[in-house]
Amino acid sequence: MESFFLFSEKLRLIAAVSLCLLILCFIPGDASCLDLTDKNVLIIGNFCTEKSGENLPAGWETLLFKKIEKHTLYSRVRDNGCFVIKAEANASASALIRKTSINLNKYPIVNWRWKVSNILEKGDIHSKSGDDYPARVYITFEYDPAKLSLWERSKYELARLVYGQYPPYAAINYIWGSHAPKGTLSPNPYTNRTMMYVVESGDEKLNRWIEEERDVYKDYKKAFGTEPPMVSGVAIMTDTDNTGEKATAFFGDIIFKDKGK
Protein backbone atom coordinates (compact mmCIF):
# COMPACT_ATOMS: atom_id res chain seq x y z
CA MET A 1 0.00 0.00 0.00
CA GLU A 2 2.83 2.40 0.84
CA SER A 3 4.40 1.80 -2.56
CA PHE A 4 1.03 2.55 -4.19
CA PHE A 5 0.84 5.93 -2.43
CA LEU A 6 4.42 6.71 -3.40
CA PHE A 7 3.58 5.87 -7.01
CA SER A 8 0.49 8.10 -6.84
CA GLU A 9 2.54 10.95 -5.42
CA LYS A 10 5.03 10.60 -8.29
CA LEU A 11 2.18 10.69 -10.80
CA ARG A 12 0.82 13.87 -9.21
CA LEU A 13 4.28 15.43 -9.24
CA ILE A 14 4.78 14.57 -12.91
CA ALA A 15 1.33 15.95 -13.74
CA ALA A 16 2.05 19.18 -11.85
CA VAL A 17 5.40 19.67 -13.58
CA SER A 18 3.84 18.95 -16.98
CA LEU A 19 1.10 21.48 -16.33
CA CYS A 20 3.64 24.11 -15.32
CA LEU A 21 5.64 23.51 -18.48
CA LEU A 22 2.49 23.71 -20.58
CA ILE A 23 1.55 27.03 -18.98
CA LEU A 24 5.06 28.40 -19.50
CA CYS A 25 4.86 27.60 -23.20
CA PHE A 26 1.92 29.98 -23.55
CA ILE A 27 3.17 32.92 -21.49
CA PRO A 28 3.04 36.04 -23.73
CA GLY A 29 6.53 37.25 -24.56
CA ASP A 30 8.10 33.83 -24.09
CA ALA A 31 6.44 31.88 -26.89
CA SER A 32 8.31 31.98 -30.18
CA CYS A 33 5.59 30.68 -32.51
CA LEU A 34 2.83 32.60 -34.25
CA ASP A 35 -0.58 31.17 -35.06
CA LEU A 36 -0.15 29.92 -38.63
CA THR A 37 -3.48 28.08 -38.86
CA ASP A 38 -5.43 30.96 -40.41
CA LYS A 39 -5.69 30.29 -44.14
CA ASN A 40 -6.09 34.01 -44.86
CA VAL A 41 -2.61 35.01 -43.67
CA LEU A 42 0.44 34.96 -45.91
CA ILE A 43 3.16 32.84 -44.27
CA ILE A 44 6.66 34.11 -45.08
CA GLY A 45 8.74 32.40 -42.40
CA ASN A 46 7.33 29.13 -41.06
CA PHE A 47 10.38 28.43 -38.91
CA CYS A 48 8.55 26.72 -36.06
CA THR A 49 7.73 23.61 -38.09
CA GLU A 50 11.24 23.32 -39.49
CA LYS A 51 13.73 20.90 -37.95
CA SER A 52 16.92 21.97 -36.23
CA GLY A 53 20.21 21.97 -38.06
CA GLU A 54 22.36 24.07 -40.32
CA ASN A 55 20.25 23.84 -43.48
CA LEU A 56 18.29 26.92 -44.47
CA PRO A 57 14.52 26.94 -43.96
CA ALA A 58 12.42 26.23 -47.04
CA GLY A 59 12.18 29.17 -49.45
CA TRP A 60 15.02 31.14 -47.84
CA GLU A 61 18.54 31.78 -49.15
CA THR A 62 21.70 33.46 -47.93
CA LEU A 63 22.27 37.07 -48.94
CA LEU A 64 25.97 37.96 -49.04
CA PHE A 65 27.58 41.35 -49.57
CA LYS A 66 30.52 41.58 -51.98
CA LYS A 67 32.83 43.71 -49.83
CA ILE A 68 32.19 41.91 -46.52
CA GLU A 69 34.42 38.88 -45.95
CA LYS A 70 33.01 37.57 -42.66
CA HIS A 71 29.44 36.32 -42.69
CA THR A 72 26.89 36.06 -39.91
CA LEU A 73 26.13 32.45 -38.96
CA TYR A 74 22.47 31.41 -39.20
CA SER A 75 21.19 28.10 -37.86
CA ARG A 76 17.91 26.51 -36.82
CA VAL A 77 17.66 25.77 -33.11
CA ARG A 78 14.97 24.76 -30.66
CA ASP A 79 13.91 27.46 -28.21
CA ASN A 80 11.00 27.26 -25.78
CA GLY A 81 9.34 24.43 -27.68
CA CYS A 82 9.68 25.96 -31.15
CA PHE A 83 12.29 25.87 -33.86
CA VAL A 84 13.64 29.34 -34.62
CA ILE A 85 16.50 30.95 -36.51
CA LYS A 86 19.56 31.80 -34.45
CA ALA A 87 21.87 34.53 -35.79
CA GLU A 88 25.43 34.92 -34.52
CA ALA A 89 27.54 37.85 -35.73
CA ASN A 90 31.19 38.51 -34.95
CA ALA A 91 32.42 41.56 -36.88
CA SER A 92 30.37 40.09 -39.71
CA ALA A 93 27.32 40.65 -41.89
CA SER A 94 25.00 38.64 -44.11
CA ALA A 95 21.28 37.99 -44.22
CA LEU A 96 18.69 35.36 -44.92
CA ILE A 97 16.19 36.44 -47.56
CA ARG A 98 13.01 35.06 -49.02
CA LYS A 99 12.13 36.42 -52.42
CA THR A 100 8.39 36.90 -52.68
CA SER A 101 5.74 39.18 -54.13
CA ILE A 102 3.27 40.78 -51.72
CA ASN A 103 0.52 43.27 -52.48
CA LEU A 104 0.31 45.60 -49.48
CA ASN A 105 -3.20 46.63 -50.45
CA LYS A 106 -4.24 43.08 -49.54
CA TYR A 107 -1.70 42.22 -46.84
CA PRO A 108 -0.50 45.50 -45.26
CA ILE A 109 0.40 44.13 -41.80
CA VAL A 110 3.61 42.27 -41.01
CA ASN A 111 3.82 40.25 -37.80
CA TRP A 112 6.95 38.58 -36.39
CA ARG A 113 8.74 37.53 -33.19
CA TRP A 114 12.34 38.07 -32.21
CA LYS A 115 14.68 37.89 -29.24
CA VAL A 116 17.98 39.73 -28.80
CA SER A 117 20.78 38.72 -26.44
CA ASN A 118 22.76 41.97 -26.46
CA ILE A 119 22.91 45.44 -27.97
CA LEU A 120 25.91 47.10 -29.60
CA GLU A 121 27.88 49.71 -27.70
CA LYS A 122 29.00 51.48 -30.87
CA GLY A 123 25.70 51.14 -32.72
CA ASP A 124 24.59 54.45 -34.27
CA ILE A 125 21.66 54.68 -36.66
CA HIS A 126 22.96 57.97 -38.09
CA SER A 127 26.55 56.99 -39.02
CA LYS A 128 28.15 54.49 -41.39
CA SER A 129 30.57 53.35 -38.69
CA GLY A 130 27.64 52.53 -36.41
CA ASP A 131 25.29 51.07 -39.02
CA ASP A 132 24.96 47.69 -37.26
CA TYR A 133 21.99 46.15 -35.48
CA PRO A 134 21.56 43.07 -33.31
CA ALA A 135 18.39 42.29 -35.26
CA ARG A 136 16.47 43.65 -38.21
CA VAL A 137 13.60 42.60 -40.45
CA TYR A 138 14.34 43.91 -43.92
CA ILE A 139 11.53 44.45 -46.46
CA THR A 140 12.41 45.28 -50.07
CA PHE A 141 10.19 46.72 -52.80
CA GLU A 142 10.06 46.05 -56.52
CA TYR A 143 11.77 48.30 -59.03
CA ASP A 144 9.18 50.56 -60.67
CA PRO A 145 10.54 52.49 -63.69
CA ALA A 146 7.54 54.83 -63.65
CA LYS A 147 8.78 56.33 -60.39
CA LEU A 148 12.30 57.12 -61.64
CA SER A 149 13.97 59.68 -63.85
CA LEU A 150 15.68 58.69 -67.10
CA TRP A 151 19.10 58.84 -65.37
CA GLU A 152 17.91 56.65 -62.48
CA ARG A 153 16.34 54.15 -64.89
CA SER A 154 19.65 53.88 -66.76
CA LYS A 155 21.45 53.06 -63.49
CA TYR A 156 18.93 50.32 -62.75
CA GLU A 157 19.38 48.91 -66.24
CA LEU A 158 23.15 48.84 -65.73
CA ALA A 159 22.71 47.04 -62.42
CA ARG A 160 20.45 44.48 -64.11
CA LEU A 161 23.10 43.81 -66.76
CA VAL A 162 25.79 43.35 -64.09
CA TYR A 163 23.84 41.30 -61.54
CA GLY A 164 21.21 39.66 -63.74
CA GLN A 165 18.26 41.31 -62.01
CA TYR A 166 17.01 44.70 -60.90
CA PRO A 167 18.03 45.81 -57.41
CA PRO A 168 15.21 46.75 -55.01
CA TYR A 169 13.60 50.11 -55.62
CA ALA A 170 13.41 50.84 -51.90
CA ALA A 171 13.59 49.11 -48.54
CA ILE A 172 12.29 49.41 -45.00
CA ASN A 173 14.35 48.08 -42.09
CA TYR A 174 12.54 47.35 -38.86
CA ILE A 175 15.40 47.35 -36.38
CA TRP A 176 16.26 46.67 -32.77
CA GLY A 177 18.33 49.77 -32.10
CA SER A 178 21.09 50.01 -29.57
CA HIS A 179 20.72 53.65 -28.56
CA ALA A 180 18.25 55.42 -30.89
CA PRO A 181 14.85 55.96 -29.21
CA LYS A 182 12.02 53.61 -30.06
CA GLY A 183 9.88 55.18 -32.79
CA THR A 184 12.80 56.84 -34.58
CA LEU A 185 12.50 56.97 -38.38
CA SER A 186 15.72 57.78 -40.22
CA PRO A 187 17.28 57.22 -43.65
CA ASN A 188 20.09 54.72 -43.75
CA PRO A 189 23.50 56.49 -43.71
CA TYR A 190 24.45 54.72 -46.96
CA THR A 191 21.28 55.44 -48.97
CA ASN A 192 18.05 57.38 -48.56
CA ARG A 193 16.25 54.62 -50.49
CA THR A 194 16.39 52.55 -47.28
CA MET A 195 14.50 53.83 -44.25
CA MET A 196 15.18 52.63 -40.72
CA TYR A 197 12.33 52.20 -38.22
CA VAL A 198 13.37 51.63 -34.61
CA VAL A 199 10.71 49.29 -33.22
CA GLU A 200 12.72 48.21 -30.15
CA SER A 201 15.73 49.82 -28.51
CA GLY A 202 18.14 49.30 -25.67
CA ASP A 203 18.59 46.44 -23.23
CA GLU A 204 15.34 46.55 -21.25
CA LYS A 205 13.78 43.64 -23.18
CA LEU A 206 16.87 41.54 -23.79
CA ASN A 207 16.54 37.75 -23.72
CA ARG A 208 12.75 37.87 -24.05
CA TRP A 209 10.60 36.89 -27.02
CA ILE A 210 8.90 40.04 -28.29
CA GLU A 211 6.06 40.00 -30.81
CA GLU A 212 5.98 42.89 -33.28
CA GLU A 213 3.30 44.16 -35.65
CA ARG A 214 3.71 46.93 -38.21
CA ASP A 215 1.50 48.41 -40.91
CA VAL A 216 3.99 48.31 -43.79
CA TYR A 217 1.63 50.16 -46.12
CA LYS A 218 1.42 53.16 -43.75
CA ASP A 219 5.12 52.99 -42.89
CA TYR A 220 6.09 53.12 -46.56
CA LYS A 221 3.86 56.12 -47.25
CA LYS A 222 5.30 57.92 -44.22
CA ALA A 223 8.87 57.09 -45.23
CA PHE A 224 8.72 57.81 -48.96
CA GLY A 225 5.56 59.87 -49.46
CA THR A 226 4.14 57.68 -52.25
CA GLU A 227 2.02 54.58 -52.71
CA PRO A 228 4.13 51.47 -52.11
CA PRO A 229 5.01 49.15 -55.01
CA MET A 230 4.87 45.39 -54.56
CA VAL A 231 7.05 43.87 -51.89
CA SER A 232 9.86 41.91 -53.56
CA GLY A 233 11.47 40.21 -50.57
CA VAL A 234 11.69 39.80 -46.79
CA ALA A 235 15.00 39.31 -45.00
CA ILE A 236 16.25 38.81 -41.46
CA MET A 237 19.65 40.09 -40.50
CA THR A 238 22.13 40.48 -37.64
CA ASP A 239 25.23 42.49 -38.53
CA THR A 240 28.28 43.84 -36.71
CA ASP A 241 30.77 44.43 -39.54
CA ASN A 242 31.03 48.19 -39.00
CA THR A 243 31.33 48.19 -35.21
CA GLY A 244 33.43 45.03 -35.00
CA GLU A 245 31.30 43.76 -32.12
CA LYS A 246 29.45 40.50 -31.40
CA ALA A 247 25.69 39.98 -31.38
CA THR A 248 23.29 37.08 -31.01
CA ALA A 249 19.63 37.19 -31.95
CA PHE A 250 16.74 34.81 -32.60
CA PHE A 251 13.95 35.14 -35.16
CA GLY A 252 10.56 33.45 -34.99
CA ASP A 253 7.81 33.05 -37.58
CA ILE A 254 6.95 35.91 -39.97
CA ILE A 255 3.53 36.48 -41.54
CA PHE A 256 1.66 39.15 -43.49
CA LYS A 257 -2.06 39.71 -42.93
CA ASP A 258 -4.89 42.09 -43.69
CA LYS A 259 -6.15 44.66 -41.20
CA GLY A 260 -9.06 42.51 -40.16
CA LYS A 261 -6.92 39.66 -38.79
Side-chain angles (χ1 to χ4, degrees), residues 32-37 48 82 111-113 211 252-255:
S32 53
C33 300
L34 295 175
D35 180 9
L36 306 180
T37 60
C48 198
C82 273
N111 194 194
W112 76 92
R113 293 182 188 272
E211 181 174 342
D253 297 335
I254 304 171
I255 62 174

Side-chain angles (χ1 to χ4, degrees), residues 7 18 31 34-35 41 43 46 49 70 90 97 103 108 133 137-138 142 144 154 159 162 206 209 223 230 246:
F7 180 70
S18 299
L34 295 175
D35 180 9
V41 303
I43 301 173
N46 187 3
T49 60
K70 293 184 65 176
N90 182 3
I97 186 169
N103 186 344
Y133 309 96
V137 173
Y138 200 121
E142 289 183 359
D144 184 354
S154 66
V162 173
L206 291 183
W209 278 105
M230 297 284 286
K246 296 181 180 180

Side-chain angles (χ1 to χ4, degrees), residues 5-38:
F5 283 117
L6 287 174
F7 180 70
S8 298
E9 287 298 321
K10 288 181 179 179
L11 284 179
R12 280 195 288 270
L13 178 60
I14 292 171
V17 171
S18 299
L19 179 60
C20 288
L21 291 174
L22 182 62
I23 292 172
L24 285 173
C25 284
F26 289 95
I27 294 176
D30 286 338
S32 53
C33 300
L34 295 175
D35 180 9
L36 306 180
T37 60
D38 192 331

Side-chain angles (χ1 to χ4, degrees), residues 25-198:
C25 284
F26 289 95
I27 294 176
D30 286 338
S32 53
C33 300
L34 295 175
D35 180 9
L36 306 180
T37 60
D38 192 331
K39 295 181 179 180
N40 295 315
V41 303
L42 189 60
I43 301 173
I44 302 301
N46 187 3
F47 306 141
C48 198
T49 60
E50 298 280 353
K51 296 179 180 179
S52 62
E54 296 182 355
N55 295 330
L56 297 180
W60 291 74
E61 59 187 83
T62 303
L63 176 63
L64 304 179
F65 306 101
K66 293 181 64 176
K67 295 183 179 181
I68 299 176
E69 296 183 0
K70 293 184 65 176
H71 305 143
T72 298
L73 175 63
Y74 295 93
S75 60
R76 288 179 293 179
V77 300
R78 194 175 184 89
D79 186 281
N80 198 49
C82 273
F83 288 112
V84 298
I85 302 298
K86 181 180 181 181
E88 299 171 279
N90 182 3
S92 61
S94 63
L96 293 185
I97 186 169
R98 178 167 183 179
K99 296 175 182 178
T100 184
S101 184
I102 304 172
N103 186 344
L104 293 181
N105 288 300
K106 185 176 183 180
Y107 298 107
I109 309 298
V110 64
N111 194 194
W112 76 92
R113 293 182 188 272
W114 57 3
K115 180 171 69 171
V116 166
S117 298
N118 64 282
I119 60 173
L120 305 177
E121 292 186 6
K122 300 176 184 176
D124 181 1
I125 191 174
H126 302 296
S127 72
K128 291 182 179 180
S129 62
D131 184 40
D132 285 338
Y133 309 96
R136 60 168 116 184
V137 173
Y138 200 121
I139 299 177
T140 61
F141 297 87
E142 289 183 359
Y143 163 71
D144 184 354
K147 297 180 180 294
L148 299 178
S149 67
L150 179 61
W151 168 243
E152 289 174 318
R153 288 200 300 271
S154 66
K155 289 195 296 183
Y156 271 77
E157 286 296 337
L158 179 60
R160 182 184 65 82
L161 292 174
V162 173
Y163 297 105
Q165 61 185 12
Y166 288 113
Y169 170 70
I172 286 177
N173 279 208
Y174 294 116
I175 63 173
W176 191 306
S178 295
H179 306 292
K182 183 176 178 178
T184 298
L185 168 62
S186 178
N188 183 271
Y190 286 95
T191 171
N192 61 8
R193 297 308 305 167
T194 295
M195 297 298 292
M196 318 299 283
Y197 278 91
V198 182

